[in-house]
Amino acid sequence: MRLSRDELKTLMKNKMMAAGLSEDHAEQTSEILTWSHERGYASHGAVRVEYYSERIFKGGITTNPTFTWKETGPCSGILDGDNAIGYVVAKEGMIKAIEMAKKNGVAVVGMSNMAHSGSIGYYSEMAAKEDLVAITFCQSDPMAVPYGGTEPYYGTNPISFAAPTADDRTVVFDMATTVQAWGKILDKRSQGASIPADWAVDEKGAPVTDPHLVNALLPIAGAKGYGLMMMVDIFSGVLLGVPFGKHVSSMYHDLSQGRCLGQMHIVMDPARFVGLETFKKSMSQVCDELNAMTPAPGFDKVYYPGERAVMRRDKAMEAGGIEVVDELVEYLRSDDIHFDRYDHKNRFAD
Ligand code: NAI
């Protein structure tokens, strides 16, 4: 069913507050979840609230955290998030990075000891809205084989970048470094459908089409995606002194413990390079040229990254609200906080 933006956000906020999150943190988190859901990233929207509520309720998210900000140079710093909800830590880190980049031209800000921060495009977009260019990377739990390997070693380690234009368009690229998210495998299991052979592997590292045999996800573009997920883990894990590679905590392992994840924002002020106005004008030109290109057979248009997400949001608003599956709405409207479904769960189990 369709919910208005306000109703969806308020329901998610209230549920996380009922689980024990502060009003401020629940407000910020539900705003970012709504941002994702309305852009068509339902996998990073309302569906996550029950899991967060269970972790909050069981103590694996610090609800009254002490953030520690250490400026390590004119252009660098680390924010220790005290295992608070990741959305608030990543947002706070981006606020610091924006301030620093405006002052000193460049900012490299790491966040350590945080929980999951959702769709990371939100944070790079924050910088673009302030006329800055940004990249952000974060760790996620080990689910992907290295190229040629048999065991999960890296997470779906996402990468996002964003840049402003001279008009109201914002380029926001935002992707996992695996071919598909784990949620898509679960969808196929529930439909009784098979998966394409380039999505995942079994215990021997061989490609599988039966979603029940999946033991790990495959990186995008073979060895190239493997290199990218390693890069993400170096920037947002090894560099920050948090667990890295296969030592990154599992999302569903022990919901009473903090996840100790890392994230990295790199923000640059175009004024220190080509100049802000020239940069923005050139970015508008890039978007115009891409949009004007004759599309290939089977395509309706060439889009710039992030364009379709905004179109999905606008379409949802025109249609009277954001589509949310009925069972999820029922849960959000109920008095239930969680159903004890995630703690100590093997993510590859049926
Ligand atoms: P996706 O495959 O839907 O999109 C990836 C990128 O490709 C987007 O920037 C999109 O704008 C662009 N794109 C897609 N189709 C396009 C087209 N026709 N023309 C132009 N550009 C196009 O994204 P994916 O990989 O499924 O990731 C979904 C979300 O999951 C992201 O928000 C990501 O941040 C989040 N995520 C978060 C993780 C975490 O641990 N916090 C882990 C993994 C993913």
Coordinates of all heavy atoms in Angstrom, one line a residue, residues 183-276:
G183 N 19.7 -9.3 -0.3 CA 18.2 -9.3 -0.3 C 17.6 -9.8 -1.6 O 16.6 -10.4 -1.6
K184 N 18.4 -9.6 -2.7 CA 17.8 -10.1 -4.0 C 17.9 -11.6 -4.0 O 17.0 -12.3 -4.7 CB 18.7 -9.5 -5.2 CG 18.7 -8.0 -5.2 CD 17.8 -7.4 -6.2 CE 17.7 -5.9 -6.2 NZ 18.9 -5.2 -6.6
I185 N 18.8 -12.3 -3.4 CA 18.9 -13.7 -3.3 C 17.7 -14.2 -2.5 O 17.1 -15.2 -2.8 CB 20.2 -14.2 -2.7 CG1 21.4 -13.5 -3.3 CG2 20.3 -15.7 -2.6 CD1 22.1 -14.2 -4.4
L186 N 17.5 -13.5 -1.4 CA 16.3 -13.9 -0.5 C 15.0 -13.8 -1.3 O 14.1 -14.7 -1.1 CB 16.3 -13.0 0.7 CG 17.5 -13.2 1.7 CD1 17.3 -12.3 2.9 CD2 17.6 -14.6 2.2
D187 N 14.9 -12.7 -2.1 CA 13.7 -12.6 -2.9 C 13.5 -13.8 -3.8 O 12.4 -14.3 -3.9 CB 13.8 -11.4 -3.9 CG 13.5 -10.1 -3.2 OD1 13.1 -10.1 -2.0 OD2 13.8 -9.0 -3.8
K188 N 14.6 -14.2 -4.5 CA 14.5 -15.4 -5.4 C 14.1 -16.6 -4.6 O 13.3 -17.5 -5.1 CB 15.8 -15.5 -6.2 CG 16.1 -14.4 -7.1 CD 15.2 -14.3 -8.3 CE 15.5 -13.2 -9.2 NZ 14.5 -13.0 -10.2
R189 N 14.7 -16.8 -3.4 CA 14.3 -18.0 -2.6 C 12.8 -18.0 -2.4 O 12.2 -19.0 -2.5 CB 15.1 -18.0 -1.3 CG 16.5 -18.4 -1.4 CD 17.1 -18.5 0.1 NE 18.5 -18.9 0.0 CZ 19.2 -19.0 1.1 NH1 18.8 -18.6 2.3 NH2 20.5 -19.3 1.0
S190 N 12.3 -16.8 -2.0 CA 10.9 -16.8 -1.6 C 10.0 -17.0 -2.8 O 8.9 -17.5 -2.7 CB 10.6 -15.5 -0.9 OG 10.8 -14.4 -1.8
Q191 N 10.5 -16.7 -4.0 CA 9.7 -16.9 -5.2 C 9.9 -18.3 -5.8 O 9.2 -18.6 -6.8 CB 10.1 -15.9 -6.3 CG 9.9 -14.4 -6.0 CD 10.7 -13.5 -6.9 OE1 11.3 -13.9 -7.9 NE2 10.8 -12.2 -6.6
G192 N 10.8 -19.0 -5.3 CA 11.1 -20.4 -5.8 C 11.8 -20.2 -7.2 O 11.7 -21.1 -8.0
A193 N 12.4 -19.1 -7.4 CA 13.1 -18.9 -8.7 C 14.6 -19.1 -8.7 O 15.2 -19.2 -7.6 CB 12.8 -17.4 -9.2
S194 N 15.2 -19.3 -9.9 CA 16.6 -19.4 -9.9 C 17.3 -18.1 -10.0 O 16.7 -17.1 -10.3 CB 17.0 -20.4 -11.1 OG 16.6 -19.8 -12.2
I195 N 18.6 -18.1 -9.9 CA 19.4 -16.8 -10.0 C 20.4 -17.0 -11.2 O 20.8 -18.1 -11.5 CB 20.2 -16.5 -8.7 CG1 21.1 -17.6 -8.3 CG2 19.2 -16.1 -7.6 CD1 22.1 -17.2 -7.2
P196 N 20.7 -15.8 -11.8 CA 21.7 -15.9 -12.9 C 23.1 -16.4 -12.3 O 23.4 -16.1 -11.1 CB 21.9 -14.5 -13.3 CG 20.6 -13.8 -12.9 CD 20.2 -14.5 -11.6
A197 N 23.9 -17.1 -13.1 CA 25.1 -17.7 -12.6 C 26.2 -16.7 -12.2 O 27.2 -17.1 -11.6 CB 25.6 -18.7 -13.7
D198 N 26.0 -15.5 -12.5 CA 27.1 -14.5 -12.2 C 26.8 -13.8 -10.9 O 27.5 -12.8 -10.5 CB 27.3 -13.5 -13.3 CG 26.1 -12.6 -13.5 OD1 25.0 -12.9 -13.1 OD2 26.3 -11.6 -14.2
W199 N 25.8 -14.2 -10.1 CA 25.5 -13.5 -8.8 C 26.2 -14.1 -7.6 O 26.6 -13.3 -6.7 CB 24.0 -13.7 -8.5 CG 23.1 -12.8 -9.3 CD1 23.3 -12.2 -10.5 CD2 21.7 -12.5 -9.0 NE1 22.2 -11.5 -10.9 CE2 21.2 -11.6 -10.0 CE3 20.9 -12.8 -7.9 CZ2 19.9 -11.1 -10.0 CZ3 19.6 -12.3 -7.9 CH2 19.1 -11.5 -8.9
A200 N 26.4 -15.4 -7.6 CA 26.9 -16.0 -6.3 C 27.5 -17.4 -6.6 O 27.4 -17.9 -7.7 CB 25.7 -16.2 -5.4
V201 N 28.2 -17.9 -5.5 CA 28.9 -19.2 -5.6 C 28.4 -20.1 -4.4 O 28.0 -19.6 -3.4 CB 30.4 -19.0 -5.6 CG1 30.9 -18.3 -6.9 CG2 30.9 -18.3 -4.3
D202 N 28.7 -21.4 -4.6 CA 28.5 -22.4 -3.5 C 29.7 -22.5 -2.7 O 30.7 -21.7 -2.8 CB 28.0 -23.7 -4.1 CG 29.1 -24.4 -5.0 OD1 30.3 -23.9 -4.9 OD2 28.8 -25.3 -5.7
E203 N 29.7 -23.5 -1.8 CA 30.8 -23.7 -0.9 C 32.2 -24.0 -1.6 O 33.2 -23.8 -1.0 CB 30.5 -24.9 0.1 CG 29.5 -24.4 1.1 CD 29.2 -25.4 2.2 OE1 29.6 -26.6 2.0 OE2 28.6 -25.0 3.2
K204 N 32.1 -24.5 -2.8 CA 33.4 -24.8 -3.5 C 33.8 -23.6 -4.3 O 34.8 -23.7 -5.1 CB 33.2 -26.0 -4.4 CG 33.0 -27.3 -3.6 CD 32.9 -28.4 -4.6 CE 32.8 -29.7 -3.8 NZ 31.9 -30.7 -4.4
G205 N 33.1 -22.5 -4.3 CA 33.4 -21.3 -5.1 C 32.9 -21.4 -6.5 O 33.2 -20.6 -7.4
A206 N 32.0 -22.4 -6.8 CA 31.5 -22.6 -8.2 C 30.2 -21.8 -8.3 O 29.4 -21.7 -7.3 CB 31.2 -24.1 -8.4
P207 N 30.0 -21.2 -9.5 CA 28.7 -20.4 -9.7 C 27.5 -21.3 -9.5 O 27.5 -22.5 -9.8 CB 28.8 -20.1 -11.2 CG 30.2 -20.2 -11.6 CD 30.8 -21.3 -10.7
V208 N 26.5 -20.7 -8.8 CA 25.2 -21.4 -8.6 C 24.0 -20.7 -9.2 O 24.0 -19.5 -9.3 CB 24.9 -21.6 -7.1 CG1 25.7 -22.7 -6.5 CG2 25.1 -20.3 -6.3
T209 N 23.0 -21.5 -9.6 CA 21.8 -20.9 -10.0 C 20.6 -21.1 -9.0 O 19.6 -20.5 -9.1 CB 21.4 -21.4 -11.4 OG1 21.4 -22.8 -11.4 CG2 22.3 -20.9 -12.5
D210 N 20.9 -22.1 -8.1 CA 19.9 -22.4 -7.1 C 20.2 -21.5 -5.9 O 21.2 -21.6 -5.2 CB 20.0 -23.9 -6.6 CG 19.0 -24.2 -5.5 OD1 18.4 -23.3 -4.9 OD2 18.9 -25.4 -5.2
P211 N 19.2 -20.5 -5.6 CA 19.5 -19.6 -4.5 C 19.7 -20.2 -3.1 O 20.3 -19.6 -2.2 CB 18.3 -18.6 -4.5 CG 17.2 -19.4 -5.2 CD 17.9 -20.3 -6.2
H212 N 19.2 -21.4 -2.9 CA 19.4 -22.1 -1.6 C 20.8 -22.6 -1.4 O 21.2 -23.0 -0.3 CB 18.4 -23.3 -1.5 CG 17.0 -22.8 -1.5 ND1 16.4 -22.3 -0.4 CD2 16.1 -22.6 -2.5 CE1 15.1 -22.0 -0.7 NE2 15.0 -22.1 -2.0
L213 N 21.6 -22.7 -2.5 CA 23.0 -23.2 -2.4 C 24.0 -22.1 -2.2 O 25.2 -22.4 -2.2 CB 23.3 -24.0 -3.6 CG 22.5 -25.3 -3.9 CD1 22.9 -26.0 -5.1 CD2 22.6 -26.2 -2.7
V214 N 23.6 -20.9 -2.2 CA 24.5 -19.7 -2.1 C 25.3 -19.7 -0.8 O 24.8 -19.8 0.3 CB 23.7 -18.4 -2.3 CG1 24.7 -17.2 -2.0 CG2 23.1 -18.3 -3.6
N215 N 26.6 -19.6 -1.0 CA 27.5 -19.5 0.2 C 28.2 -18.2 0.2 O 28.8 -17.8 1.2 CB 28.5 -20.7 0.2 CG 29.4 -20.7 1.4 OD1 28.8 -20.6 2.5 ND2 30.7 -20.7 1.3
A216 N 28.3 -17.5 -0.9 CA 28.9 -16.2 -1.0 C 28.5 -15.5 -2.2 O 28.1 -16.1 -3.2 CB 30.4 -16.3 -0.9
L217 N 28.5 -14.1 -2.2 CA 28.2 -13.3 -3.4 C 29.4 -13.1 -4.2 O 30.6 -13.2 -3.7 CB 27.6 -12.0 -2.9 CG 26.4 -12.0 -2.0 CD1 26.0 -10.6 -1.5 CD2 25.2 -12.7 -2.7
L218 N 29.2 -12.8 -5.5 CA 30.4 -12.5 -6.4 C 30.6 -11.0 -6.5 O 29.6 -10.2 -6.6 CB 30.1 -13.1 -7.7 CG 30.4 -14.6 -7.9 CD1 29.8 -15.1 -9.2 CD2 32.0 -14.8 -7.9
P219 N 31.8 -10.5 -6.6 CA 32.1 -9.1 -6.8 C 31.7 -8.7 -8.2 O 31.6 -9.6 -9.1 CB 33.6 -9.0 -6.7 CG 34.2 -10.3 -6.3 CD 33.1 -11.3 -6.4
I220 N 31.3 -7.4 -8.4 CA 31.0 -7.0 -9.8 C 32.3 -7.1 -10.7 O 33.4 -6.9 -10.2 CB 30.6 -5.5 -9.8 CG1 31.6 -4.6 -9.0 CG2 29.2 -5.3 -9.3 CD1 31.4 -3.1 -9.2
A221 N 32.1 -7.4 -11.9 CA 33.2 -7.4 -12.9 C 34.5 -8.2 -12.5 O 35.6 -7.7 -12.7 CB 33.5 -6.0 -13.3
G222 N 34.3 -9.3 -11.9 CA 35.4 -10.2 -11.5 C 36.5 -9.6 -10.7 O 36.2 -8.9 -9.7
A223 N 37.7 -9.7 -11.2 CA 38.9 -9.2 -10.4 C 38.8 -7.7 -10.1 O 39.3 -7.2 -9.2 CB 40.2 -9.5 -11.1
K224 N 38.1 -6.9 -11.0 CA 38.0 -5.5 -10.9 C 37.2 -5.1 -9.7 O 37.5 -4.2 -8.9 CB 37.5 -4.8 -12.2 CG 38.4 -5.1 -13.4 CD 37.8 -4.6 -14.7 CE 38.5 -5.0 -15.9 NZ 38.0 -4.5 -17.1
G225 N 36.0 -5.8 -9.6 CA 35.2 -5.5 -8.4 C 35.8 -5.9 -7.1 O 35.6 -5.3 -6.1
Y226 N 36.5 -7.0 -7.2 CA 37.3 -7.5 -6.0 C 38.3 -6.4 -5.6 O 38.4 -6.1 -4.4 CB 37.9 -8.8 -6.4 CG 39.1 -9.3 -5.6 CD1 39.0 -9.3 -4.2 CD2 40.3 -9.7 -6.2 CE1 40.1 -9.8 -3.4 CE2 41.4 -10.1 -5.4 CZ 41.3 -10.2 -4.1 OH 42.3 -10.6 -3.3
G227 N 39.0 -5.8 -6.5 CA 39.9 -4.8 -6.2 C 39.2 -3.6 -5.5 O 39.7 -3.0 -4.6
L228 N 38.0 -3.3 -6.1 CA 37.2 -2.1 -5.5 C 36.8 -2.4 -4.1 O 36.8 -1.5 -3.2 CB 36.0 -1.8 -6.4 CG 36.3 -1.1 -7.7 CD1 35.0 -0.9 -8.5 CD2 37.0 0.3 -7.5
M229 N 36.3 -3.7 -3.8 CA 35.8 -3.9 -2.5 C 37.0 -3.9 -1.5 O 36.9 -3.6 -0.3 CB 35.0 -5.2 -2.4 CG 35.5 -6.4 -2.9 SD 34.3 -7.8 -2.7 CE 32.9 -7.4 -3.6
M230 N 38.2 -4.3 -2.0 CA 39.4 -4.3 -1.1 C 39.7 -2.8 -0.8 O 40.0 -2.4 0.3 CB 40.6 -4.9 -1.8 CG 41.8 -4.9 -1.0 SD 43.2 -5.5 -2.0 CE 44.0 -6.4 -0.7
M231 N 39.6 -1.9 -1.9 CA 39.9 -0.5 -1.7 C 39.0 0.1 -0.6 O 39.4 0.8 0.3 CB 39.7 0.2 -3.0 CG 39.8 1.7 -2.8 SD 39.3 2.6 -4.3 CE 37.5 2.5 -4.2
V232 N 37.7 -0.3 -0.7 CA 36.7 0.2 0.3 C 37.1 -0.2 1.7 O 37.1 0.6 2.7 CB 35.3 -0.3 0.0 CG1 34.3 0.0 1.1 CG2 34.8 0.3 -1.3
D233 N 37.6 -1.5 1.8 CA 37.9 -2.0 3.2 C 39.2 -1.4 3.7 O 39.4 -1.2 4.9 CB 38.0 -3.5 3.1 CG 38.1 -4.2 4.5 OD1 37.2 -3.9 5.3 OD2 39.1 -4.9 4.8
I234 N 40.1 -1.0 2.8 CA 41.4 -0.4 3.2 C 41.0 1.0 3.8 O 41.4 1.4 4.8 CB 42.4 -0.3 2.1 CG1 42.9 -1.7 1.7 CG2 43.6 0.6 2.5 CD1 43.7 -1.7 0.4
F235 N 40.2 1.8 3.0 CA 39.9 3.2 3.4 C 39.0 3.2 4.6 O 39.2 4.1 5.5 CB 39.2 3.9 2.3 CG 40.1 4.5 1.2 CD1 40.6 3.6 0.2 CD2 40.5 5.8 1.2 CE1 41.5 4.1 -0.7 CE2 41.4 6.3 0.3 CZ 41.9 5.5 -0.7
S236 N 38.0 2.3 4.7 CA 37.1 2.4 5.8 C 37.3 1.4 6.9 O 36.5 1.4 7.9 CB 35.6 2.3 5.3 OG 35.4 1.1 4.6
G237 N 38.3 0.6 6.8 CA 38.6 -0.4 7.8 C 40.1 -0.4 8.3 O 40.4 0.1 9.4
V238 N 41.0 -0.8 7.4 CA 42.4 -0.9 7.8 C 42.9 0.4 8.3 O 43.6 0.5 9.3 CB 43.2 -1.5 6.6 CG1 44.7 -1.7 7.1 CG2 42.7 -2.8 6.1
L239 N 42.6 1.5 7.5 CA 43.1 2.8 7.9 C 42.6 3.4 9.2 O 43.2 4.3 9.8 CB 42.7 3.8 6.8 CG 43.7 4.2 5.7 CD1 43.0 5.0 4.6 CD2 44.9 5.0 6.3
L240 N 41.4 2.8 9.6 CA 40.8 3.4 10.8 C 40.9 2.6 12.1 O 40.4 2.9 13.1 CB 39.3 3.6 10.5 CG 39.0 4.5 9.3 CD1 37.5 4.6 9.1 CD2 39.5 5.9 9.5
G241 N 41.6 1.5 12.0 CA 41.9 0.6 13.2 C 40.7 -0.1 13.7 O 40.6 -0.5 14.8
V242 N 39.7 -0.4 12.8 CA 38.6 -1.2 13.1 C 38.8 -2.6 12.5 O 39.6 -2.7 11.6 CB 37.2 -0.6 12.7 CG1 36.9 0.7 13.5 CG2 37.2 -0.3 11.2
P243 N 38.0 -3.6 12.9 CA 38.2 -4.9 12.2 C 38.0 -4.8 10.7 O 37.2 -4.0 10.2 CB 37.0 -5.8 12.9 CG 36.8 -5.1 14.2 CD 37.0 -3.6 14.0
F244 N 38.8 -5.6 10.0 CA 38.8 -5.5 8.5 C 38.6 -6.9 7.9 O 38.8 -7.9 8.6 CB 40.0 -4.8 8.0 CG 41.3 -5.4 8.6 CD1 41.9 -6.6 8.1 CD2 41.9 -4.8 9.7 CE1 43.0 -7.1 8.7 CE2 43.1 -5.3 10.3 CZ 43.6 -6.4 9.8
G245 N 38.3 -6.9 6.6 CA 38.2 -8.2 5.8 C 37.2 -9.1 6.5 O 36.1 -8.7 6.9
K246 N 37.6 -10.4 6.7 CA 36.7 -11.4 7.2 C 36.4 -11.2 8.7 O 35.6 -11.9 9.3 CB 37.2 -12.8 6.9 CG 38.4 -13.2 7.7 CD 38.8 -14.6 7.4 CE 40.0 -15.1 8.2 NZ 40.3 -16.5 8.0
H247 N 37.2 -10.3 9.3 CA 37.0 -10.0 10.8 C 35.9 -9.0 11.1 O 35.5 -8.7 12.2 CB 38.3 -9.5 11.4 CG 39.4 -10.4 11.0 ND1 39.6 -11.7 11.5 CD2 40.4 -10.3 10.1 CE1 40.6 -12.3 11.0 NE2 41.2 -11.5 10.1
V248 N 35.3 -8.4 10.0 CA 34.2 -7.4 10.2 C 33.0 -8.2 10.8 O 32.7 -9.3 10.3 CB 33.8 -6.8 8.8 CG1 32.6 -5.9 9.0 CG2 35.0 -5.9 8.3
S249 N 32.3 -7.6 11.7 CA 31.3 -8.3 12.4 C 30.1 -8.6 11.5 O 29.8 -7.8 10.6 CB 30.8 -7.5 13.6 OG 30.2 -6.3 13.1
S250 N 29.4 -9.7 11.8 CA 28.3 -10.0 10.9 C 27.0 -9.2 11.4 O 26.8 -9.1 12.6 CB 28.0 -11.5 11.0 OG 26.7 -11.8 10.5
M251 N 26.2 -8.9 10.5 CA 25.0 -8.1 10.8 C 24.1 -8.8 11.8 O 23.5 -8.3 12.6 CB 24.3 -7.8 9.5 CG 23.1 -6.9 9.6 SD 22.5 -6.4 8.0 CE 22.9 -4.7 8.0
Y252 N 24.0 -10.2 11.6 CA 23.1 -11.0 12.4 C 23.8 -11.8 13.5 O 23.2 -12.8 13.9 CB 22.3 -11.9 11.5 CG 21.5 -11.1 10.4 CD1 21.6 -11.5 9.1 CD2 20.9 -9.9 10.7 CE1 20.9 -10.8 8.1 CE2 20.2 -9.2 9.7 CZ 20.2 -9.7 8.4 OH 19.6 -9.0 7.4
H253 N 25.0 -11.5 13.8 CA 25.7 -12.4 14.7 C 25.2 -12.3 16.2 O 24.5 -13.2 16.7 CB 27.2 -12.3 14.7 CG 27.8 -13.2 15.7 ND1 27.6 -14.6 15.7 CD2 28.6 -13.0 16.8 CE1 28.2 -15.1 16.8 NE2 28.8 -14.2 17.4
D254 N 25.5 -11.2 16.8 CA 25.1 -11.1 18.3 C 24.6 -9.7 18.4 O 25.3 -8.7 18.5 CB 26.4 -11.3 19.1 CG 26.1 -11.2 20.6 OD1 24.9 -10.7 21.0 OD2 26.9 -11.5 21.4
L255 N 23.3 -9.6 18.5 CA 22.6 -8.3 18.5 C 22.7 -7.5 19.8 O 22.3 -6.4 19.9 CB 21.1 -8.4 18.1 CG 20.9 -8.3 16.6 CD1 21.6 -9.5 15.8 CD2 19.5 -8.2 16.2
S256 N 23.4 -8.1 20.8 CA 23.6 -7.4 22.0 C 25.0 -6.6 22.0 O 25.3 -5.8 22.9 CB 23.6 -8.3 23.2 OG 24.8 -9.1 23.2
Q257 N 25.8 -6.9 20.9 CA 27.1 -6.2 20.8 C 27.2 -5.2 19.7 O 26.5 -5.3 18.7 CB 28.2 -7.3 20.5 CG 28.3 -8.4 21.5 CD 28.7 -7.8 22.9 OE1 29.7 -7.1 23.0 NE2 28.0 -8.2 23.9
G258 N 28.0 -4.2 19.9 CA 28.2 -3.1 18.9 C 28.9 -3.8 17.7 O 29.7 -4.7 17.8
R259 N 28.7 -3.2 16.5 CA 29.3 -3.8 15.3 C 30.7 -3.3 15.0 O 31.4 -3.9 14.2 CB 28.4 -3.5 14.1 CG 27.1 -4.3 14.2 CD 26.5 -4.6 12.9 NE 27.4 -5.3 12.0 CZ 27.2 -5.3 10.7 NH1 26.3 -4.7 10.1 NH2 28.1 -6.0 9.9
C260 N 31.1 -2.1 15.5 CA 32.5 -1.6 15.3 C 32.8 -1.4 13.8 O 33.9 -1.7 13.4 CB 33.5 -2.5 16.0 SG 33.2 -2.7 17.7
L261 N 31.9 -1.0 13.0 CA 32.2 -0.8 11.6 C 32.9 0.6 11.3 O 32.9 1.5 12.2 CB 30.8 -0.8 10.8 CG 30.0 -2.0 10.8 CD1 28.7 -1.8 10.1 CD2 30.7 -3.2 10.2
G262 N 33.4 0.7 10.1 CA 34.1 1.9 9.7 C 33.5 2.5 8.4 O 32.9 1.7 7.6
Q263 N 33.6 3.8 8.2 CA 33.2 4.5 7.0 C 34.2 5.6 6.7 O 34.8 6.1 7.7 CB 31.8 5.0 7.2 CG 31.2 5.7 6.0 CD 29.7 5.6 5.9 OE1 29.0 5.0 6.7 NE2 29.1 6.4 5.0
M264 N 34.3 6.0 5.5 CA 35.3 7.1 5.2 C 34.6 8.1 4.2 O 34.0 7.6 3.2 CB 36.5 6.5 4.5 CG 37.5 7.5 4.0 SD 38.4 8.3 5.3 CE 39.8 7.2 5.6
H265 N 34.7 9.4 4.5 CA 34.2 10.4 3.6 C 35.4 11.2 3.1 O 36.2 11.6 3.9 CB 33.3 11.4 4.3 CG 32.0 10.9 5.0 ND1 31.2 9.9 4.4 CD2 31.5 11.2 6.2 CE1 30.2 9.7 5.2 NE2 30.3 10.5 6.3
I266 N 35.4 11.4 1.8 CA 36.5 12.3 1.2 C 35.7 13.4 0.5 O 35.0 13.1 -0.4 CB 37.4 11.5 0.3 CG1 38.1 10.3 1.0 CG2 38.5 12.4 -0.3 CD1 38.9 9.4 0.2
V267 N 36.0 14.6 0.9 CA 35.2 15.8 0.4 C 36.2 16.8 -0.2 O 37.2 17.1 0.5 CB 34.3 16.4 1.5 CG1 33.5 17.5 1.0 CG2 33.4 15.3 2.0
M268 N 35.9 17.3 -1.3 CA 36.8 18.4 -2.0 C 36.0 19.6 -2.4 O 34.8 19.4 -2.8 CB 37.4 17.8 -3.2 CG 38.5 16.8 -2.8 SD 39.3 16.2 -4.3 CE 38.5 14.6 -4.4
D269 N 36.6 20.7 -2.3 CA 35.9 22.0 -2.7 C 36.4 22.3 -4.1 O 37.6 22.6 -4.3 CB 36.4 23.1 -1.7 CG 35.7 24.4 -2.0 OD1 34.9 24.5 -3.0 OD2 35.8 25.3 -1.2
P270 N 35.5 22.3 -5.1 CA 35.9 22.6 -6.5 C 36.5 23.9 -6.6 O 37.3 24.2 -7.6 CB 34.5 22.5 -7.2 CG 33.6 21.8 -6.4 CD 34.0 22.0 -5.0
A271 N 36.2 24.8 -5.7 CA 36.8 26.2 -5.7 C 38.3 26.1 -5.7 O 39.0 27.0 -6.2 CB 36.3 27.0 -4.6
R272 N 38.9 25.0 -5.1 CA 40.3 24.9 -4.9 C 40.9 24.2 -6.2 O 42.1 24.0 -6.3 CB 40.7 24.0 -3.8 CG 40.1 24.4 -2.4 CD 40.7 25.7 -1.9 NE 40.1 26.0 -0.6 CZ 40.8 26.2 0.5 NH1 42.1 26.2 0.4 NH2 40.2 26.6 1.6
F273 N 40.1 23.9 -7.1 CA 40.6 23.2 -8.4 C 40.2 24.1 -9.6 O 40.8 25.2 -9.7 CB 40.1 21.8 -8.4 CG 40.6 20.9 -7.3 CD1 39.9 20.9 -6.1 CD2 41.8 20.3 -7.4 CE1 40.4 20.1 -5.0 CE2 42.3 19.6 -6.3 CZ 41.6 19.5 -5.1
V274 N 39.2 23.7 -10.3 CA 38.9 24.4 -11.5 C 38.1 25.7 -11.2 O 38.0 26.6 -12.1 CB 38.1 23.5 -12.5 CG1 36.7 23.3 -12.0 CG2 38.1 24.1 -13.9
G275 N 37.6 25.8 -10.0 CA 36.7 27.0 -9.7 C 35.3 26.5 -9.6 O 34.8 25.7 -10.5
L276 N 34.5 27.0 -8.6 CA 33.2 26.4 -8.4 C 32.2 26.6 -9.6 O 31.5 25.7 -10.1 CB 32.6 27.0 -7.1 CG 31.2 26.5 -6.8 CD1 31.2 25.0 -6.6 CD2 30.6 27.2 -5.6

